[in-house]
Amino acid sequence: MADVRLSICMMVMDEEKNLKRCLESLKPLLLREDVELIIVDTGSKDKAVEIAKNYATKIYFKEWNHDFSDMRNYTISLASGDWVFILDADEEIENPENVIDEIEKAEKKQAKTICLTVKNLTQEEDKKNYVINISPRIFKKNYIKYWGKVHNQPIYHEPVYYSDIAIYHYGYILLDTKLMEYKYKRTVTLLLKELEKDPTNIYYRYQLGVSYSMYGKLKEASIEFEKAYNLLRTQNSEIKKRFVVLYCLYAKTLLGLGLYDIAREIAEEGINYNSDYVDLYYIAGQSLYMIGRRKEAVEYFKKYLNFFAKNEKPQILNDPSLAFYYVNDYYIDQAISYILQYYFDTKNFGEVKNYIDLFRDNSSRLKHYVLMYLETQEYKKLKEFYVQSEQKEKIAELIEKFIVDLKLDEEERNKLYKEFATVDNLYGKYAELWINPVEAADIINYIFNYGEIKNLSAFYFKALLCHLDKKEFLLKKLKEIDILTLRVKIAEALTAKFIDFEDVISLLEVIKTEKADIDILARYTSLALLVLLNFPRQSDERLYEIFLNYTENGILLMSRLYENEEIKEKYRYFLSEEEKYFALMYLIYLSLQEKRMDKSIKYLREAITTMPKLVKHLKRFSKDILGVDV
């Protein structure tokens, strides 16, 4: 058997929800003969040990003694490898295949400690948003020892090698509230005990603030950070620089509480002690932006972005004493968005062009290019940008969205559509529709025969609603569109404001008389319900007429799909609320014909229970048709 080169040391307790994910990420390493996995269980009551047995042969048990460092040092004492890798159950190695290669590189540099990047996730399924910190985790055996009962800190030796190894940390995610509460109470209790012994300990006071912050108790966190900050103010500049992370966490917490002026002051003070601490520039920028001092904010955001201007990683990120909350693509793009918003508002389009390409997210880049060309009325350039892009439909949708948001008048829309009408594709045809309405039927046919209708962007459905004068053609096209697709796309178009409710009401007015066509009846009821449930002016008298037509059409559908006795026997078992509602309204009319008012009232009450959002119309219906209040 090969000599053990690497010992992976873990201590666990009640980690069944995390452990398998962690150990699965170790599999490529555990296939090697020169890697061992040591797991020390400190008193699990769940299935953690059972899970561990599927991966590790070296499982030990040691009762929890409320001293993190002592437990950590015990796991290290069991290691037989040349190197020791400290890993927690709520972590996952991002690139396990790199670990041995990075150890070899460290050995060539005669390093005794290897640092790696910890990506502290804020959401379980989102690995793009995280808080970064650099952590010494791999050590030469006999050159590592931990201290500190609560937040165990490694006493390690130089030289230090900064590796490309990264791990995801799931401990900040609050999904498992029971586990999070247990960890929170355990840590806070230990910290409070230590602070009873040493109330002026800045580090423990700071860590207490961190614990409150992680658990979402920002007010309590700010109080502890303020205490630590006041203690730190009495120290010399060197100690302040060593604890500069406190300025970051304190300012970040104040930002979360909406105390923008104080957050800015603390962030700027922190910059005085470490001008490379990138997070402080973001906090200062956002604080200023939130109080309306946008020009000053933009300067801070520019300084923040300068840290990422070069391709190499900023050197400050190698400092294991710091945590980085604003060093990921999301916050970089947020900073760019703040800058661009200011330059758009001040019509400084020269500066706008300088920043759009800095976006990490391509959709943000597309969005701002489209907005810039529309704001500057450079429609030819917008068309060229569109033609060269591989995301033409995405750009088309953005154009239509901004036409609404910017309230482009008819003259500007015509200029835009005239430019795009020369493009021989789907959106080109749509643009042609608005400048050449004579060819509307052919163009609409082209659009709705282009591919699967459900894949069309919602704005294309405006083409149908704006050509209601061609009734026969319109009815034919509506019948070609699946009922669910029609409702979904019209709802999407309403939400995006490509169309408004008046457009839909006009469509309903055109097709409401087609009682003999079951397909049109079904489409009328589908769209009518959309209007009845969502129309913003619920007092509008037209809604009651739509309600009556909606109900009548639904009853007609019932009568054509089912026999009378079937409806009476089966309506309770209809899965669709809408179908059950139509059945009940049908039964009301049958009961009226039978002169059974008691049954009519009974069915009406059931209808109200089935479709409570229609209660206003149903109560009026009760008065008008049944002559009673319900």
Side-chain angles (χ1 to χ4, degrees):
M1 184 177 174
D3 292 338
V4 177
R5 189 171 193 185
L6 177 65
S7 299
I8 303 169
C9 296
M10 301 178 64
M11 60 179 192
V12 304
M13 184 164 72
D14 293 333
E15 289 282 5
E16 67 176 1
K17 293 187 178 178
N18 289 312
L19 189 57
K20 184 176 180 180
R21 178 183 58 229
C22 173
L23 298 179
E24 279 292 314
S25 75
L26 292 175
K27 271 188 172 179
L29 284 167
L30 298 180
L31 291 173
R32 297 177 59 101
E33 290 187 359
D34 57 352
V35 174
E36 68 175 356
L37 173 61
I38 294 168
I39 295 179
V40 175
D41 185 82
T42 61
S44 293
K45 293 183 175 64
D46 63 5
K47 295 180 181 179
V49 174
E50 188 179 323
I51 293 167
K53 287 177 179 177
N54 293 322
Y55 299 85
T57 56
K58 296 182 178 181
I59 300 175
Y60 302 85
F61 300 90
K62 184 175 173 65
E63 187 177 348
W64 174 245
N65 63 1
H66 304 283
D67 188 327
F68 278 94
S69 291
D70 183 58
M71 304 303 289
R72 189 76 77 190
N73 290 330
Y74 175 68
T75 68
I76 294 169
S77 72
L78 301 170
S80 57
D82 298 328
W83 291 87
V84 174
F85 185 175
I86 303 299
L87 194 66
D88 286 331
D90 60 358
E91 296 174 334
E92 174 189 19
I93 303 183
E94 180 183 34
N95 49 350
E97 66 282 355
N98 290 5
V99 172
I100 299 300
D101 289 343
E102 290 297 293
I103 287 175
E104 289 175 355
K105 291 176 185 177
E107 287 174 336
K108 288 177 183 178
K109 294 180 180 293
Q110 299 183 336
K112 290 184 172 61
T113 300
I114 300 175
C115 282
L116 45 77
T117 301
V118 180
K119 298 178 178 180
N120 302 282
L121 300 177
T122 55
Q123 296 181 51
E124 191 166 6
E125 301 303 323
D126 184 1
K127 290 186 175 180
K128 291 183 179 179
N129 291 322
Y130 44 76
V131 176
I132 281 181
N133 66 281
I134 301 302
S135 179
R137 289 296 192 91
I138 304 177
F139 313 93
K140 266 286 195 181
K141 183 74 185 297
N142 302 323
Y143 287 92
I144 176 59
K145 185 177 181 180
Y146 278 81
W147 71 272
K149 283 189 175 184
V150 190
H151 289 276
N152 52 110
Q153 297 294 309
I155 303 171
Y156 57 88
H157 294 254
E158 296 182 338
V160 177
Y161 173 71
Y162 295 95
S163 74
D164 290 331
I165 304 167
I167 60 176
Y168 293 113
H169 177 222
Y170 292 80
Y172 287 175
I173 299 171
L174 300 173
L175 291 177
D176 188 343
T177 53
K178 188 176 179 181
L179 181 61
M180 285 300 297
E181 185 175 4
Y182 164 74
K183 289 184 175 182
Y184 159 75
K185 287 182 177 178
R186 179 189 64 185
T187 303
V188 167
T189 300
L190 290 171
L191 284 167
L192 288 171
K193 283 182 179 179
E194 292 301 311
L195 283 167
E196 281 180 17
K197 301 175 196 173
D198 185 6
T200 60
N201 189 302
I202 297 172
Y203 178 74
Y204 282 144
R205 188 67 65 185
Y206 157 76
Q207 287 293 355
L208 184 57
V210 171
S211 296
Y212 285 133
S213 177
M214 284 177 59
Y215 201 65
K217 295 190 172 187
L218 296 187
K219 184 65 178 175
E220 291 85 346
S222 71
I223 291 169
E224 297 306 323
F225 286 140
E226 184 179 15
K227 290 177 183 176
Y229 168 74
N230 288 331
L231 289 169
L232 188 58
R233 291 179 71 182
T234 65
Q235 305 297 316
N236 61 44
S237 295
E238 281 305 309
I239 294 177
K240 288 175 180 175
K241 186 169 183 177
R242 198 192 322 156
F243 276 101
V244 72
V245 68
L246 169 59
Y247 293 92
C248 175
L249 266 292
Y250 186 23
K252 178 178 179 291
T253 303
L254 293 168
L255 188 65
L257 291 169
L259 301 171
Y260 304 121
D261 272 321
I262 310 173
R264 173 192 56 81
E265 290 175 9
I266 299 298
E268 288 178 341
E269 189 176 344
I271 290 170
N272 290 334
Y273 295 112
N274 189 334
S275 60
D276 291 330
Y277 198 174
V278 57
D279 282 43
L280 294 171
Y281 292 92
Y282 188 95
I283 295 169
Q286 191 175 7
S287 299
L288 285 163
Y289 207 93
M290 297 305 289
I291 58 176
R293 293 165 60 179
R294 298 199 298 166
K295 186 175 181 180
E296 296 168 80
V298 163
E299 293 308 309
Y300 271 111
F301 284 128
K302 286 181 178 180
K303 289 175 182 177
Y304 164 83
L305 291 175
N306 283 341
F307 284 95
F308 310 100
K310 298 178 182 178
N311 289 328
E312 66 262 23
K313 184 172 75 172
Q315 191 63 33
I316 187 71
L317 298 186
N318 288 333
D319 188 339
S321 71
L322 302 179
F324 298 93
Y325 292 82
Y326 301 95
V327 180
N328 59 50
D329 289 352
Y330 172 80
Y331 285 108
I332 290 170
D333 283 356
Q334 280 291 102
I336 297 166
S337 295
Y338 281 126
I339 292 170
L340 286 174
Q341 185 63 60
Y342 174 72
Y343 285 134
F344 270 113
D345 290 347
T346 56
K347 306 297 181 185
N348 190 340
F349 296 110
E351 287 285 9
V352 167
K353 291 177 182 177
N354 293 333
Y355 282 91
I356 293 180
D357 282 326
L358 298 181
F359 276 116
R360 304 290 179 93
D361 175 51
N362 186 54
S363 62
S364 296
R365 197 178 305 122
L366 289 179
K367 170 186 169 182
H368 284 85
Y369 264 119
V370 171
L371 181 58
M372 178 183 71
Y373 287 132
L374 286 173
E375 288 261 34
T376 56
Q377 299 177 347
E378 296 176 285
Y379 304 137
K380 186 173 183 179
K381 287 185 178 179
L382 177 56
K383 182 185 77 174
E384 290 169 358
F385 177 69
Y386 168 85
V387 169
Q388 292 167 10
S389 175
E390 294 180 358
Q391 294 183 276
K392 291 182 175 59
E393 279 305 292
K394 176 65 176 175
I395 292 175
E397 193 168 342
L398 285 168
I399 291 171
E400 292 301 313
K401 178 183 181 299
F402 285 129
I403 285 175
V404 174
D405 293 348
L406 298 174
K407 299 179 180 177
L408 260 63
D409 60 30
E410 186 176 354
E411 182 182 354
E412 288 303 317
R413 289 200 305 272
N414 286 340
K415 288 179 185 176
L416 172 66
Y417 286 138
K418 189 174 182 180
E419 195 66 58
F420 274 83
T422 62
V423 180
D424 186 20
N425 69 1
L426 184 61
Y427 188 60
K429 287 293 183 183
Y430 178 81
E432 185 183 346
L433 177 66
W434 303 106
I435 59 172
N436 186 16
V438 176
E439 304 293 330
D442 289 340
I443 293 172
I444 291 171
N445 270 326
Y446 177 90
I447 290 171
F448 285 91
N449 293 331
Y450 187 81
E452 284 196 69
I453 293 175
K454 66 180 182 181
N455 295 329
L456 282 176
S457 292
F459 69 82
Y460 287 112
F461 284 74
K462 183 177 180 180
L464 282 178
L465 301 184
C466 293
H467 294 279
L468 301 179
D469 53 322
K470 300 175 175 60
K471 183 175 179 179
E472 292 305 315
F473 172 75
L474 176 65
L475 294 174
K476 181 183 175 185
K477 297 312 295 181
L478 285 174
K479 288 161 73 170
E480 290 174 5
I481 303 170
D482 172 76
I483 296 170
L484 180 59
T485 299
L486 180 65
R487 184 190 282 190
V488 168
K489 290 297 179 180
I490 294 296
E492 287 177 2
L494 285 167
T495 301
K497 298 182 180 178
F498 296 138
I499 60 174
D500 59 33
F501 280 99
E502 294 298 333
D503 294 322
V504 185
I505 289 172
S506 297
L507 172 61
L508 292 174
E509 190 65 25
V510 170
I511 66 175
K512 72 178 183 181
T513 58
E514 301 300 311
K515 306 291 186 184
D517 192 328
I518 191 170
D519 291 320
I520 295 300
L521 281 178
R523 282 152 182 79
Y524 182 96
T525 58
S526 180
L527 295 180
L529 185 62
L530 192 66
V531 173
L532 289 170
L533 296 183
N534 299 287
F535 191 65
R537 296 190 303 278
Q538 285 294 310
S539 60
D540 195 310
E541 185 63 23
R542 291 175 300 170
L543 283 187
Y544 186 60
E545 183 186 346
I546 292 170
F547 163 77
L548 292 175
N549 278 315
Y550 165 72
T551 301
E552 181 185 350
N553 286 357
I555 290 170
L556 284 171
L557 281 172
M558 283 288 109
S559 67
R560 292 178 189 179
L561 294 172
Y562 303 99
E563 297 294 332
N564 289 358
E565 290 305 313
E566 270 190 293
I567 296 174
K568 288 179 181 178
E569 292 174 8
K570 295 180 180 179
Y571 81 89
R572 292 183 181 87
Y573 306 106
F574 289 156
L575 296 178
S576 162
E577 289 179 352
E578 190 175 24
E579 193 173 13
K580 184 178 179 181
Y581 165 77
F582 288 143
L584 286 163
M585 298 304 288
Y586 181 70
L587 292 173
I588 289 171
Y589 280 103
L590 284 182
S591 299
L592 286 173
Q593 290 172 11
E594 297 169 358
K595 298 183 179 180
R596 290 295 305 273
M597 182 62 70
D598 57 332
K599 281 191 174 183
S600 294
I601 294 171
K602 171 183 171 292
Y603 290 137
L604 183 61
R605 285 177 175 151
E606 282 192 67
I608 291 172
T609 303
T610 302
M611 293 286 272
K613 290 185 178 179
L614 297 181
V615 62
K616 176 183 174 182
H617 302 302
L618 285 166
K619 286 190 173 185
R620 180 171 171 183
F621 170 86
S622 178
K623 279 186 178 181
D624 292 351
I625 307 299
L626 305 184
V628 296
D629 288 325
V630 292

